[in-house]
Amino acid sequence: MGIDSLKRALWIYHVNTGSCNGCDIEIVASLTPRYDIERFGIKLVGSPRHADVLLVTGPVTRQMEPRLRRVYAQTPDPKVVIVVGNCGADGDVFHESYNLVGPIDQIIPVDVYVHGCPPRPEAIIDGVVKAWLKLEGATTKETT
Amino acid sequence: MIALLLGPIGVAIVGSVVGLFYLGVDRRLVARMQARVGPPLVQPFRDVGKLMMKESIIPNGALRWLFQFSPVMCVMGSATLLLYIPLFGQPALFEGSGDAILLIYLLTVPSIALVAGGFASSSPYATVGAQREMVLMIGYEFPLSVTVVSIAWRILQVTDANAFAFSSMAQYPIWDLVGPLGLVGTLLLLVSLISVTPGELGRIPFDLAEAETELAGGLLVEYSGRNLALFYLGNAIRGFAVLSLVVALFFPYGIAAGIGVTSTVLAVIIDGAFFLVKVLLVMFVAVALVRSAMARFKINQASVFYLMIMTMVSLVGLLLIWADMML
Ligand code: SF4
């Protein structure tokens, strides 16, 4: 139990805040036999209540902003937020749009950025590993 | 008195460990059939451990006591099932005090706990999920009862003892009683019971109450942390119980006596291991194979499947066994 079980059983909820779907397809690709992230106990879940990790894609449109805040609030602690794709980090190809309130770190705290447009599945898995380290820090702080 | 207290607790603990283990085996098997490596066998234990240390959120609109009570009821209801089913080649713990009829009623308790929890969480997704679970329950009840009743009826023809008791079913395995016609009938009953298993467990193709893609987790959408862990555990125990029920109804054989083992201790160990293998085989056919080969049914397809097709199959099985007896 303890941190080890948390590290090895991350459940992921995927939030699309207006992405072009490129990043989302790469996330799904990491579930396929080639990358198979279920090996590490990582599972995509359908509800933020079940999640440990929020994978956020897209540049946050005006409509999505309150929803993103709510999804973040609905996720039980301890949790980490991973931004997948350049969109969430700086707006990427959409950065001039009138309809954006992002990037994501203006709205919810972000722990890990995965860059790329879209990032490769390897990069997403690497981001999840970085999130492990973050969680480790968070829980040891809590217990001490 | 102490045995009466400790027995059920022991059975519950053994049931959760074995149930979680089978869950891991199932995930691994499905992964292999999809050409993936799959999670390690201990993954379900890690999942439960992780959920235990997460925050348990109770939504504002929820009915607090029912929301928190339903997961406990699910675990207790599932563990109660194990008390009346013969496990590890041994008679059930409460063999004398309950039979297959009681078990059919008890089987609904975990489902009712899920439904109550779903309604109590006051989320529209959970409500739809709860309604689907109820429809499904009505559906699979009928083939399940017909199967149990047909087997018991055939056993009643050869003995005066309570034919619904699992001890009589173990004493007169149904395959040994029937002729060629009845053999076909028994096979049909087996098919209908195996089709009931994934519905009973809420697995693909009957996972529409939890449907992740359309209902975002359905019944369990609002559950998190400890409460979710209890549901997870309850489902694992129930899975083990339902698979053991299939074994008890259709494959109540032991091999220890057959291969000439005389020492009691050794016989108990061998029969226990053989029981685990039987459960594994039933799980492979009824859960893992079906799960990786099929997609989710719609709710109308699922109820037509159970209420029309599988009910017909089991009734034909009953008729064939009856005809076999009369001819
Ligand atoms: S980062 Fe690129 S691929 Fe990803 S959502 Fe934005 S535009 Fe699409």
Side-chain angles (χ1 to χ4, degrees):
Chain A
M1 262 218 239
I3 181 66
D4 204 46
S5 47
L6 181 64
K7 233 167 74 170
R8 286 152 186 274
L10 288 181
W11 289 3
I12 290 180
Y13 180 69
H14 167 212
V15 196
N16 180 341
T17 63
S19 94
C20 77
N21 246 339
C23 287
D24 313 66
I25 285 177
E26 293 303 315
I27 292 173
V28 178
S30 58
L31 288 170
T32 54
R34 188 177 177 101
Y35 298 101
D36 188 24
I37 49 173
E38 208 193 349
R39 274 180 299 163
F40 311 117
I42 300 172
K43 198 169 100 170
L44 271 188
V45 292
S47 154
R49 295 269 195 234
H50 304 178
D52 312 295
V53 178
L54 290 182
L55 275 188
V56 192
T57 60
V60 192
T61 57
R62 214 167 284 285
Q63 285 289 316
M64 273 311 283
E65 189 212 337
R67 275 94 186 166
L68 182 58
R69 276 187 216 282
R70 271 179 70 180
V71 166
Y72 183 74
Q74 281 174 342
T75 312
D77 286 325
K79 59 190 163 193
V80 283
V81 176
I82 303 180
V83 167
V84 175
N86 287 346
C87 268
D90 57 13
D92 201 28
V93 287
F94 306 114
H95 76 281
E96 284 179 316
S97 170
Y98 58 90
N99 194 27
L100 296 188
V101 287
I104 290 163
D105 51 14
Q106 305 282 313
I107 298 157
I108 56 173
V110 174
D111 297 287
V112 180
Y113 296 91
V114 180
H115 285 288
C117 180
R120 293 186 62 83
E122 289 98 330
I124 298 175
I125 297 173
D126 184 50
V128 174
V129 174
K130 296 228 165 72
W132 282 0
L133 303 175
K134 264 294 253 243
L135 273 174
E136 212 156 324
T139 35
T140 39
K141 232 184 292 157
E142 246 170 50
T143 44
T144 48
Chain B
M1 185 66 204
I2 289 183
L4 207 60
L5 273 176
L6 288 186
I9 296 176
V11 167
I13 292 173
V14 171
S16 4
V17 171
V18 179
L20 285 175
F21 175 72
Y22 275 118
L23 218 55
V25 175
D26 169 52
R27 279 176 74 173
R28 186 87 174 192
L29 281 174
V30 171
R32 283 295 156 88
M33 283 188 270
Q34 294 173 341
R36 294 187 289 119
V37 178
L41 290 181
V42 294
Q43 192 58 46
F45 294 92
R46 287 185 183 148
D47 284 350
V48 171
K50 178 209 71 178
L51 287 173
M52 280 294 182
M53 60 178 282
K54 297 259 311 176
E55 184 188 11
S56 305
I57 299 177
I58 301 171
N60 273 340
L63 196 58
R64 283 188 82 93
W65 67 269
L66 191 57
F67 187 80
Q68 283 181 303
F69 176 65
S70 325
V72 181
M73 185 160 116
C74 181
V75 172
M76 290 195 310
S78 312
T80 314
L81 292 175
L82 290 178
L83 301 178
Y84 297 100
I85 303 178
L87 300 174
F88 301 103
Q90 306 302 319
L93 196 65
F94 289 176
E95 174 65 57
S97 42
D99 52 19
I101 297 183
L102 177 70
L103 205 71
I104 292 179
Y105 282 102
L106 282 179
L107 270 174
T108 57
V109 172
S111 304
I112 288 174
L114 275 165
V115 169
F119 280 129
S121 49
S122 81
S123 152
Y125 290 116
T127 310
V128 175
Q131 284 161 353
R132 287 185 179 187
E133 175 78 23
M134 286 195 299
V135 172
L136 211 57
M137 246 160 73
I138 297 167
Y140 61 64
E141 210 81 311
F142 208 74
L144 177 69
S145 324
V146 173
T147 305
V148 171
V149 167
S150 332
I151 293 178
W153 179 81
R154 189 62 189 81
I155 290 171
L156 202 61
Q157 311 304 311
V158 292
T159 174
D160 284 334
N162 177 4
F164 282 100
F166 286 110
S167 53
S168 341
M169 292 184 185
Q171 207 178 348
Y172 307 98
I174 178 79
W175 305 100
D176 302 352
L177 299 179
V178 291
L181 207 54
L183 206 64
V184 179
T186 316
L187 273 176
L188 288 180
L189 291 180
L190 180 62
V191 166
S192 81
L193 191 61
I194 280 189
S195 80
V196 166
T197 313
E200 188 81 65
L201 304 182
R203 297 303 194 79
I204 295 172
F206 300 105
D207 63 337
L208 10 79
E210 286 170 35
E212 232 139 60
T213 33
E214 33 184 306
L215 287 187
L219 288 166
L220 302 177
V221 69
E222 293 291 346
Y223 278 94
S224 59
R226 202 185 56 245
N227 293 327
L228 184 60
L230 287 179
F231 270 132
Y232 193 108
L233 197 64
N235 271 339
I237 303 176
R238 180 159 65 138
F240 180 48
V242 172
L243 294 172
S244 312
L245 175 67
V246 179
V247 169
L249 287 177
F250 282 98
F251 311 107
Y253 299 100
I255 47 167
I259 58 176
V261 178
T262 40
S263 118
T264 343
V265 180
L266 207 59
V268 167
I269 293 175
I270 290 181
D271 272 345
F274 185 56
F275 169 80
L276 288 178
V277 173
K278 283 189 291 188
V279 172
L280 183 71
L281 286 178
V282 173
M283 187 195 75
F284 179 72
V285 175
V287 181
L289 207 58
V290 175
R291 192 153 87 90
S292 48
M294 297 185 74
R296 183 180 306 132
F297 278 133
K298 287 188 234 161
I299 185 66
N300 54 338
Q301 292 169 328
S303 32
V304 166
F305 178 78
Y306 276 140
L307 280 174
M308 316 278 283
I309 301 176
M310 276 308 142
T311 303
M312 276 332 271
V313 167
S314 56
L315 282 178
V316 170
L318 172 62
L319 276 179
L320 285 178
I321 288 184
W322 174 78
D324 178 60
M325 172 82 194
M326 294 303 153
L327 293 180

